[in-house]
Amino acid sequence: MDAEQLELTLGPLYLVVVEDRVAGQLTGRIERAYRSPAQGLDDARCLAALLLDRGGELEGDGPWRRPLAGGQRYVEIVPAPVGPLGG
């Protein structure tokens, strides 16, 4: 059995929320948004850094942004909603 299948994250969980806000008339692209599955804070910060194309640790608590052709990408980490089973 794969070790990752047995992994259990305890403590608070977080979502990474991403929005690409672009000028569609200029770029021919549409605005897009994504919410990651719930995960631990370290994993959420790692994913946010990847989406922002940053090599080191993220500074501050966000939200963060980076330029895109014709717009901006906004990334933030938010607490995951608590479900009926507490997670």
Side-chain angles (χ1 to χ4, degrees):
M1 187 173 259
D2 189 21
E4 289 183 23
Q5 290 180 347
L6 300 176
E7 188 174 305
L8 176 64
T9 302
L10 299 176
L13 297 175
Y14 298 87
L15 307 176
V16 178
V17 180
V18 185
E19 289 184 60
D20 284 356
R21 300 178 191 167
V22 295
Q25 295 174 337
L26 296 174
T27 64
R29 296 174 47 204
I30 61 170
E31 292 189 357
R32 297 182 293 179
Y34 174 77
R35 288 171 117 36
S36 74
Q39 56 197 293
L41 184 57
D42 289 342
D43 287 337
R45 290 185 70 83
C46 181
L47 177 57
L50 286 167
L51 291 165
L52 293 161
D53 197 25
R54 301 216 179 138
E57 290 289 320
L58 293 175
E59 293 183 20
D61 294 326
W64 303 275
R65 67 179 186 183
R66 73 171 283 235
L68 295 174
Q72 296 281 323
R73 172 171 287 165
Y74 292 84
V75 178
E76 67 180 318
I77 297 171
V78 299
V82 177
L85 298 176

